[in-house]
Amino acid sequence: MNGRFEGKVALVTGSSRGIGRALTLMLAREGAHAVVNYRNNVDLANDVVLEVEELGRRAVAIQADLESVQGVDALFDGAKAAFGKIDFFVSNAAASAFKKIENLNANNLDRSFDLNVRAFVLGAKRAVDLMTDGGRIVALSSYGSIRAYPTYANLGSNKAAIEAWARYMAVEFASRGINVNVVNGGLIDTESCAYFYDRVAGMAPIDSVLSKIPKRRMGTPYEVAAVIAFLLATESEYITGQTICVDGGLSVIAPPFYADTTPPLSPA
């Protein structure tokens, strides 16, 4: 499959680490140039740029705080100045306040919405204008969009909104040759997941969750990136408006869990 993204320009938000970094490098290996977005850590962003350039592709690092409208504009203005167009927009950057609903305040709600939902919608609007010959838009979601668990209401509701927006975008942008899809991730081995399970006071141990997942392990950033790459490729031309779960079966299980059963019901 080498070269399937030859000459394409990919803008991936939050691409200095985690899934965004894995995806950016995966696309570069197959021919894509990169717009590397970061919020704070310029060193990590420059490391990704260097790795892309070592693969023979062009890359530019653009600092932009997507929590603000000005940040979104700065990111896409920079991409336009560097490449004149983009072919892929992947909305990956995310953050939120992890609290019970009764402890959330207006600032928590506003900041989470601005970064997760508003930045995706405004980014998609800007991306469409730069997709001069069709393109692909993919947003990252999580299983908190369809399942309720402690302290995730703020971000989970935002992720559900992203999935709804993607369906509407898929319909409106189809005539421009642009597909819009969502990848819904489960427990993926990233800093964000580690933060959630290690630093949110009172959170259940991650091992208690992993034991119940059918695949019995965390996913990797590479596994999520590979699904996104498929949605960016020509092979997925007839897929739009969809949400694909990459979660090892987490979203299909329900109590009583197989992990809690005993013989003869317990899984092998």
Side-chain angles (χ1 to χ4, degrees):
M1 301 301 291
N2 288 341
R4 62 176 171 168
F5 301 123
E6 192 69 36
K8 300 295 186 181
V9 177
L11 188 163
V12 182
T13 67
S15 44
S16 64
R17 59 186 179 179
I19 294 169
R21 176 184 181 276
L23 175 63
T24 297
L25 295 178
M26 182 179 292
L27 299 179
R29 291 187 190 101
E30 299 195 50
H33 308 300
V35 177
V36 179
N37 164 241
Y38 69 100
R39 181 175 184 174
N40 293 316
N41 198 321
V42 65
D43 292 334
L44 287 180
N46 286 336
D47 286 345
V48 177
V49 168
L50 180 60
E51 290 186 69
V52 171
E53 291 176 340
E54 288 175 345
L55 292 166
R57 319 303 175 194
R58 293 173 56 204
V60 59
I62 300 178
Q63 191 281 331
D65 182 355
L66 303 182
E67 198 175 305
S68 72
V69 175
Q70 293 80 8
V72 175
D73 285 338
L75 175 59
F76 284 88
D77 288 345
K80 183 177 181 180
F83 294 103
K85 65 155 190 173
I86 63 171
D87 300 283
F88 308 142
F89 168 46
V90 180
S91 182
N92 167 68
S96 190
F98 298 114
K99 301 178 181 180
K100 295 175 67 175
I101 295 172
E102 64 192 73
N103 296 325
L104 290 169
N105 57 42
N107 184 57
N108 297 147
L109 298 176
D110 289 344
R111 294 190 65 184
S112 186
F113 179 87
D114 291 349
L115 175 59
N116 295 288
V117 182
R118 188 178 69 185
F120 169 51
V121 177
L122 295 182
K125 282 165 54 68
R126 291 295 308 269
V128 166
D129 289 339
L130 293 175
M131 291 178 175
T132 54
D133 190 27
R136 299 283 192 273
I137 296 173
V138 177
L140 272 293
S141 183
S142 68
Y143 73 101
S145 68
I146 53 176
R147 298 288 186 269
Y149 53 92
T151 76
Y152 209 78
N154 196 13
L155 185 54
S157 60
N158 286 173
K159 294 297 190 181
I162 286 170
E163 293 177 12
W165 273 102
R167 290 190 290 270
Y168 281 95
M169 290 177 187
V171 174
E172 292 196 19
F173 299 163
S175 62
R176 304 190 191 194
I178 298 170
N179 290 3
V180 186
N181 291 290
V182 177
V183 171
N184 183 313
L187 271 70
I188 309 302
D189 191 7
T190 63
E191 292 179 16
S192 296
C193 190
Y195 176 92
F196 183 78
Y197 281 93
D198 294 343
R199 297 182 60 183
V200 175
M203 184 54 58
I206 192 169
D207 288 345
S208 70
V209 181
L210 295 177
S211 67
K212 294 177 172 59
I213 298 175
K215 296 293 285 186
R216 297 186 183 181
R217 66 172 176 85
M218 299 181 77
T220 68
Y222 177 89
E223 288 172 315
V224 179
V227 176
I228 300 171
F230 165 71
L231 291 172
L232 300 178
T234 57
E235 294 92 335
S236 66
E237 166 58 29
Y238 207 55
I239 300 174
T240 195
Q242 304 304 307
T243 296
I244 299 178
C245 290
V246 184
D247 64 4
L250 177 60
S251 58
V252 300
I253 60 173
F257 300 108
Y258 269 102
D260 295 334
T261 60
T262 57
L265 293 180
S266 56

